[in-house]
Amino acid sequence: MACFLCGLESESTDHLFLNCCWSWKLWKRCMKWWEVSSCHNSKLPEWSKGWQGLCLSANSRRVWSSLFSALVWKIWETRNKFLFENKEIYLGLAEDTVKSRTAWWFKHLGKGSEIPVTSLMLNVNDLCVDPPNISKLTSKA
Ligand SMILES: [Zn+2]
C-alpha cells in the first residue's frame, strides 16, 4: 500500500514516521525551534532511542520527549485524516498542533505551570534551556 502522505513509496513504520518527505519536513520544522537541524537515522526505533538518550537537563529532556510523542502522534493522525476522511493537513497546521501539544504536556509536567499555554507556544524555544546535542543522534550525513 502506498504511503498516504506522499504517495511515492510503500507505507511502513519507518517510512511513515521518519523517512516520508512530508513527515521529515515536520520533524525538521519542529527541531528548528531549537535551531537544531539534522539528517535522521532511517530506523524509527534507533531514532527514538537516540532522541531519548541525548544529554540534556531533566527539564529539557521532558520537553524533548514530549516533542517526540507529539510528532509521532500528529503524523499518525494526519495519515488517518487522509485515509479515513480524505482530508489534507498542511505542514504549518500540523506544526501548530505539535507545538500546542508540546506546550500542554510541558505545562502538565509541572514546569511553567504559571505560564499560559499561549505564551508557551509563542516562546517554545524557551522551554528547552540546553539545546539537544543532535550530533549524537545522526548516523548518516
Ligand atoms: Zn510517504
Side-chain angles (χ1 to χ4, degrees):
M1 179 167 40
C3 171
F4 286 93
L5 298 181
C6 69
L8 299 173
E9 297 194 30
S10 303
E11 188 181 81
S12 67
T13 304
D14 290 330
H15 175 80
L16 179 67
F17 292 108
L18 203 53
N19 298 319
C20 180
C21 55
W22 190 93
S23 303
W24 184 241
K25 281 180 194 165
L26 185 59
W27 283 95
K28 284 200 303 190
R29 286 173 82 128
C30 295
M31 289 192 295
K32 215 172 181 185
W33 301 341
W34 290 290
E35 305 297 329
V36 170
S37 63
S38 168
C39 294
H40 62 75
N41 197 310
S42 61
K43 299 286 183 195
L44 187 65
E46 294 166 20
W47 176 252
S48 172
K49 236 181 265 173
W51 187 278
Q52 307 301 332
L54 295 174
C55 294
L56 298 166
S57 69
N59 191 42
S60 295
R61 199 175 312 121
R62 281 193 291 270
V63 179
W64 197 238
S65 295
S66 296
L67 174 60
F68 187 95
S69 302
L71 273 161
V72 169
W73 182 11
K74 188 62 204 170
I75 291 166
W76 181 245
E77 192 175 59
T78 301
R79 179 253 189 211
N80 289 335
K81 287 272 183 197
F82 273 120
L83 178 59
F84 299 115
E85 299 173 34
N86 203 24
K87 282 186 182 168
E88 189 173 347
I89 304 290
Y90 297 101
L91 269 172
L93 192 59
E95 182 184 3
D96 287 346
T97 303
V98 170
K99 192 178 283 187
S100 168
R101 288 174 180 165
T102 301
W104 273 107
W105 283 333
F106 177 80
K107 190 174 173 71
H108 179 73
L109 290 167
K111 300 291 178 185
S113 59
E114 304 302 316
I115 305 170
V117 167
T118 47
S119 298
L120 291 173
M121 285 178 66
L122 290 171
N123 304 297
V124 71
N125 54 319
D126 291 343
L127 299 182
C128 199
V129 292
D130 51 347
N133 183 355
I134 202 75
S135 64
K136 292 187 172 190
L137 194 54
T138 57
S139 68
K140 63 182 182 184

